[in-house]
């Protein structure tokens, strides 16, 4: 019998995404804590990359999953049967969204929501040009990669989709480059992977206006900024605008895989005809994922965590201070800390792990540490985490 350990097998036989994965061997996860197989406990200060906004394995989510799997799991491809968890979750989401967002298409992931929205925009407008922004991340599939705002990550995979254009984020002049040949503009309300870059209010309003003037669809990617992370359920609520299509993922499934693109019923109907089955998926809207997501949303709405985000943000702002931090950028319970080099940032992240704090850097900003704890983190826990991060910075210099 083979005596190979899980760790050895992971490195030898599971496809690796980088040279140095964090490599914690997980035994369990509850609330803001992840325990490894050696019994060490870690505070999860990135919430599984903004997925576990209500913490890991919330009891009401676990209960909803258990109840659903007793009834049924996968029964058929998306869109054929009436499955109560999908219906109930769509109803709960739409009640919290502007009226124009009236039909939900559930997908498997955030990237698939991006793909679906891109296809939807082509059908609705009859145009093909897709605008996005430098520094944007909308997923890793080829369509989503085509609108990514970073040449380094795209170049190895060309040719990608034609007729895409990346403008400068938060740049008013670049909005003028949008013309009536454009089908849609993808925008993150807070650009995640450059290190938490919030949209300027006047810029986003001008972008909305330009899209309105030219009948261009505005697609808001709230896959990472959604579900309370910035202090409101969705970040766009703070800008007085509403998108034509909304992309959701990550926290949408409360720990199970789920994504969605949401638009008007009229728009969505274009995926039903000529051709029929304009976007299809086997597992999108899996009933167990939808039951989990609905339970998670109910927790978020009933708790006071979203209302507490600003207070917790201010604690980070006032207490997460060190001379080695060159710059901080934040929106809600979501912050980046910039250091003098990617090497130092990686050293600090590794020291944080040794000190029981899970953190990481950003896809397009390797010199910035990511702070995005579950929203349920208590103030004493937050203060403990801040102290440990400061200690980790101190010992890494
Ligand atoms: N959009 C944004 C803003 C994201 O942060 C991500 C994932 O990190 C995605 C899209 C893609 O989501 P997924 O990884 O579920 O495909």
């Amino acid at each position: 019998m083979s005596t190979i350990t899980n760790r050895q097998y992971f490195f030898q036989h599971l496809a690796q995404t980088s040279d140095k994965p964090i490599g914690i061997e997980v035994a369990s996860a509850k609330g803001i804590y992840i325990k490894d197989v050696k019994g060490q406990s870690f505070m999860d200060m990135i919430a599984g990359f903004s997925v576990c906004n209500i913490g890991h394995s919330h009891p009401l989510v676990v209960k909803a999953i258990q109840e659903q799997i007793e009834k049924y799991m996968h029964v058929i491809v998306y869109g054929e049967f009436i499955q109560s968890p999908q219906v109930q979750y769509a109803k709960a989401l739409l009640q919290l969204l502007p009226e124009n967002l009236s039909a939900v298409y559930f997908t498997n992931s955030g990237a698939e929501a991006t793909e679906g929205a891109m296809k939807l925009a082509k059908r609705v407008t009859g145009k093909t040009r897709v605008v996005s922004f430098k520094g944007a991340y909308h997923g890793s599939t080829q369509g989503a990669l085509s609108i990514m705002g970073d040449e380094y990550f795209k170049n190895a995979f060309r040719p990608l989709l034609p007729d895409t254009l990346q403008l400068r984020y938060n740049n008013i002049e670049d909005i003028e480059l949008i013309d009536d040949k454009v089908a849609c503009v993808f925008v993150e309300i807070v650009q995640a992977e450059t290190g938490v870059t919030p949209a300027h209010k006047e810029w986003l309003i001008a972008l909305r206006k330009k899209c309105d003037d030219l009948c261009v669809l505005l697609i808001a990617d709230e896959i990472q900024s959604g579900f309370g992370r910035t202090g409101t359920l969705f970040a766009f609520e703070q800008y007085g605008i509403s998108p034509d299509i909304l992309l959701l993922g990550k926290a949408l499934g409360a720990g199970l895989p789920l994504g969605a693109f949401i638009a008007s019923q009229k728009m969505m109907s274009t995926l039903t005809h000529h051709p029929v089955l304009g976007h299809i998926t086997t597992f999108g809207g899996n009933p167990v994922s939808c039951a989990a997501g609905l339970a998670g949303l109910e927790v978020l709405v009933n708790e006071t965590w979203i209302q507490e985000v600003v207070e917790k943000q201010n604690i980070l702002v006032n207490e997460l201070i060190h001379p080695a931090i060159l710059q901080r950028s934040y929106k809600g319970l979501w912050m980046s800390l910039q250091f003098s080099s990617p090497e130092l940032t990686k050293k600090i992240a590794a020291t944080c792990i040794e000190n029981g704090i899970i953190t990481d850097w950003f896809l397009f900003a390797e010199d910035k540490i990511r702070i995005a704890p579950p929203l349920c983190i208590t103030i004493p826990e937050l203060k403990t985490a801040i102290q440990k991060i400061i200690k980790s910075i101190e010992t890494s210099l």
Side-chain angles (χ1 to χ4, degrees):
M1 222 172 61
S2 161
T3 54
I4 192 163
T5 63
N6 278 347
R7 171 168 294 277
Q8 287 164 334
Y9 203 90
F10 168 81
F11 281 103
Q12 286 170 24
H13 297 291
L14 273 90
Q16 300 291 307
T17 55
S18 76
D19 296 344
K20 286 197 176 62
I22 301 174
I24 289 171
E25 192 172 342
V26 183
S28 62
K30 197 108 197 111
I32 69 153
Y33 297 97
I34 295 179
K35 244 191 194 156
D36 75 4
V37 290
K38 294 182 213 132
Q40 189 181 350
S41 185
F42 300 88
M43 292 177 122
D44 183 359
M45 289 302 284
I46 54 174
F49 285 85
S50 302
V51 168
C52 310
N53 285 11
I54 61 165
H56 294 271
S57 299
H58 190 284
L60 292 177
V61 174
V62 173
K63 184 166 172 276
I65 293 170
Q66 283 167 341
E67 286 174 2
Q68 184 55 40
I69 60 177
E70 289 293 331
K71 291 182 195 146
Y72 58 92
M73 294 187 272
H74 175 85
V75 281
I76 196 164
V77 295
Y78 179 76
E80 295 295 337
F81 288 176
I82 299 155
Q83 301 181 46
S84 167
Q86 288 175 355
V87 173
Q88 295 307 321
Y89 197 13
K91 203 187 270 183
L93 283 167
L94 294 180
Q95 275 168 4
L96 296 165
L97 289 169
E99 252 174 48
N100 68 305
L101 299 172
S102 56
V104 182
Y105 193 122
F106 283 116
T107 63
N108 297 279
S109 66
E112 193 197 346
T114 299
E115 299 288 338
M118 233 186 285
K119 289 166 71 183
L120 180 61
K122 280 186 178 175
R123 288 308 316 274
V124 169
T125 63
K127 299 182 276 185
T128 56
R129 183 164 300 168
V130 181
V131 165
S132 57
F133 293 96
K134 294 185 193 301
Y137 183 72
H138 300 291
S140 193
T141 50
Q142 294 206 57
L145 189 61
S146 304
I147 59 168
M148 183 191 275
D150 186 283
E151 294 308 301
Y152 170 72
F153 283 96
K154 286 159 75 167
N155 278 338
F157 301 100
R158 291 188 189 282
L160 293 169
L161 279 184
D163 217 8
T164 64
L165 179 67
Q166 278 85 58
L167 305 179
R168 286 173 292 176
Y169 192 73
N170 275 336
N171 186 292
I172 287 274
E173 285 160 28
D174 274 17
I175 291 179
E176 289 313 309
L177 299 172
I178 299 169
D179 60 21
D180 59 7
K181 292 192 192 69
V182 174
C184 62
V185 176
F186 277 77
V187 65
E188 291 166 89
I189 308 298
V190 179
Q191 210 175 51
E193 295 305 321
T194 47
V196 192
T197 310
H200 298 157
K201 194 165 188 176
E202 60 284 9
W203 177 76
L204 198 57
I205 290 170
L207 183 63
R208 174 69 275 185
K209 183 167 184 317
K210 186 74 173 177
C211 289
D212 284 340
D213 291 348
L214 298 173
C215 296
V216 169
L217 300 180
L218 185 68
I219 302 177
D221 181 342
E222 292 249 20
I223 289 168
Q224 202 164 157
S225 57
F227 293 93
R229 173 71 41 208
T230 68
T232 45
L233 190 59
F234 301 109
F236 74 78
E237 296 168 38
Q238 296 173 44
Y239 289 81
I241 62 122
S242 112
D244 300 302
I245 305 178
L246 177 65
L247 308 185
L248 300 178
K250 292 197 181 271
L252 176 69
L256 291 195
L258 192 63
F261 57 104
I262 305 181
S264 71
Q265 268 169 306
K266 189 166 172 231
M267 280 191 212
M268 217 53 112
S269 68
T270 60
L271 291 177
T272 317
H273 309 286
H274 318 298
V276 64
L277 306 173
H279 187 74
I280 46 177
T281 161
T282 299
F283 288 123
N286 178 276
V288 185
S289 296
C290 285
L294 175 59
L297 180 62
E298 283 167 358
V299 169
L300 205 49
V301 169
N302 292 332
E303 291 284 354
T304 52
W305 297 328
I306 297 182
Q307 291 90 299
E308 292 163 19
V309 160
V310 171
E311 187 187 357
K312 292 173 186 172
Q313 169 198 286
N314 291 340
I315 291 172
L316 283 174
V317 172
N318 294 329
E319 299 184 20
L320 189 40
I321 297 170
H322 190 279
I325 301 172
L326 302 182
Q327 204 193 0
R328 297 178 305 173
S329 181
Y330 53 86
K331 183 90 179 162
L333 210 38
W334 196 13
M335 186 181 251
S336 71
L337 311 174
Q338 187 181 34
F339 296 94
S340 58
S341 69
E343 292 70 33
L344 177 58
T345 302
K346 287 175 186 180
K347 197 169 168 199
I348 291 167
T351 313
C352 280
I353 302 269
E354 282 167 23
N355 290 327
I357 294 285
I358 296 174
T359 172
D360 205 41
W361 47 93
F362 293 85
L363 191 58
F364 308 136
E366 291 186 42
D367 56 350
K368 294 180 186 171
I369 288 277
R370 181 190 301 264
I371 308 288
L375 309 184
C376 59
I377 192 168
T378 63
I379 288 174
E381 284 169 337
L382 187 62
K383 290 186 176 230
T384 302
I386 290 171
Q387 285 317 310
K388 287 186 175 195
I389 294 166
I390 291 173
K391 184 178 151 211
S392 304
I393 297 171
E394 203 57 55
T395 54
S396 301
L397 294 174

